[in-house]
């Protein structure tokens, strides 16, 4: 990859139309994030060009995070990730 990436390995959730999918946020850069669905696959509807919300699950119980609007750019539904 041309863009430097920050490896973060954080838990998160992706939400679309009330459906919440647990994910691992693998890395991030100025151009986006790479995430993996924790069960290995995304359900139907989570595809390229779809706008959804990503929430980072805080590591501290007293820290609240708001969802971040995002657009899915690439999908590999074989357990290798989503960008």
């Amino acid at each position: 990859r041309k863009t430097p990436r920050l490896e973060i390995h954080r838990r998160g959730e992706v939400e679309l139309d009330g459906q919440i999918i647990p994910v691992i946020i693998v890395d991030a850069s100025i151009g986006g994030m790479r995430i993996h669905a924790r069960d290995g696959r995304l359900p139907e509807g989570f595809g390229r060009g779809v706008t959804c919300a990503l929430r980072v699950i805080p590591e501290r119980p007293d820290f609240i995070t708001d969802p971040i609007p995002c657009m899915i750019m690439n999908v590999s539904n074989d357990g290798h990730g989503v960008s």
Side-chain angles (χ1 to χ4, degrees), residues 14-48:
V14 174
E15 182 176 0
L16 176 64
D17 296 330
Q19 190 171 20
I20 298 172
I21 308 302
V23 298
I24 298 296
I25 304 164
V26 177
D27 61 33
S29 74
I30 196 165
M33 291 182 240
R34 183 181 314 158
I35 64 172
H36 291 179
R38 287 180 40 197
D39 70 358
R41 295 187 61 80
L42 290 173
E44 292 292 323
F46 285 80
R48 184 181 181 107

Side-chain angles (χ1 to χ4, degrees), residues 50-61:
V50 171
T51 300
C52 57
L54 173 70
R55 187 173 79 84
V56 177
I57 296 175
E59 294 180 349
R60 296 185 340 229

